[in-house]
Amino acid sequence: MKSKKMILGAFLVGIVLSFGVFNVYAQNPKETAIIEKDIAEADIEKDKVKEIASDAFKKYLNVEISAEDMDVQVIRYNDEQAYGVFHTDGQRNSAALITTDYEVMDLESNTGMPKSEDYQNYTYDEAKEVAINFVKESKLLGEDYTFLGDRDEMMKEINGQKEAGSYYFSFQYDGNKRSTIIVDKQNERIERFLLED
């Protein structure tokens, strides 16, 4: 019984001490200023990321989204901090993955599932031409890249499904890096690209 009282007493002393330290920390103007500065810097950082995403949507996907209308979240990418940028307006869903070095690694904007079955008539070769022209004109992968087509059996299988909403094309660039370019069958345009290390 005595040991229980001692443990309870020690626990209460710990709470009081913790509260006291927290109180001193919270009332310290210098510490408060540091916290407020960190929050302000994080907001500036997020604003910069939004601008980068807005420019990328316009440049690569020809979609105009105001930076003010985007939501930014800090996420993990390859075990490192990165930024996820999101926007939806009821008709179009858009997202971007941007590293802390401000490199856009993943950019997507699509209108969801096709509204009719006409998209099934859009051929692989037509979409392939769209993907190759995109890479060439946007210079997304630089000047030196190789068209790989179907990177693996899974990609080949998806591209062979008439009811699939998109075609997937793989490119190799910058030595051994890979990129996937995705063409929306319904709108006959690029809907997403992914840059892989």
Side-chain angles (χ1 to χ4, degrees), residues 183-195:
V183 179
D184 176 4
K185 289 184 182 181
Q186 177 178 252
N187 297 306
E188 302 180 7
R189 59 186 282 175
I190 303 298
E191 72 171 34
R192 183 179 188 185
F193 70 76
L194 296 100
L195 303 179

Side-chain angles (χ1 to χ4, degrees), residues 34-46:
I34 290 170
I35 292 168
E36 287 173 353
K37 182 179 176 228
D38 288 346
I39 292 169
E41 285 175 359
D43 287 344
I44 290 168
E45 187 76 7
K46 286 184 176 182

Side-chain angles (χ1 to χ4, degrees), residues 92 111 118-123 126-131 134 165-167 182-191:
R92 179 174 290 280
T111 54
D118 293 344
Y119 76 95
Q120 294 182 13
N121 299 322
Y122 188 57
T123 68
E126 289 173 307
K128 174 182 170 182
E129 188 176 339
V130 169
F134 166 75
S166 308
Y167 284 116
I182 303 171
V183 179
D184 176 4
K185 289 184 182 181
Q186 177 178 252
N187 297 306
E188 302 180 7
R189 59 186 282 175
I190 303 298
E191 72 171 34

Side-chain angles (χ1 to χ4, degrees), residues 77 103-105 140-141 173 178-179 193-197:
Y77 170 72
E103 186 176 1
V104 180
M105 299 301 292
L140 175 69
L141 307 179
Y173 72 103
R178 299 289 176 95
S179 172
F193 70 76
L194 296 100
L195 303 179
E196 305 159 16
D197 291 333

Side-chain angles (χ1 to χ4, degrees), residues 73-101:
Q73 295 175 12
V74 176
I75 60 173
R76 301 297 293 173
Y77 170 72
N78 286 348
D79 292 326
E80 293 183 9
Q81 179 178 306
Y83 299 98
V85 184
F86 308 95
H87 175 265
T88 185
D89 60 11
Q91 295 180 341
R92 179 174 290 280
N93 299 310
S94 304
L97 172 70
I98 300 174
T99 67
T100 52
D101 295 330

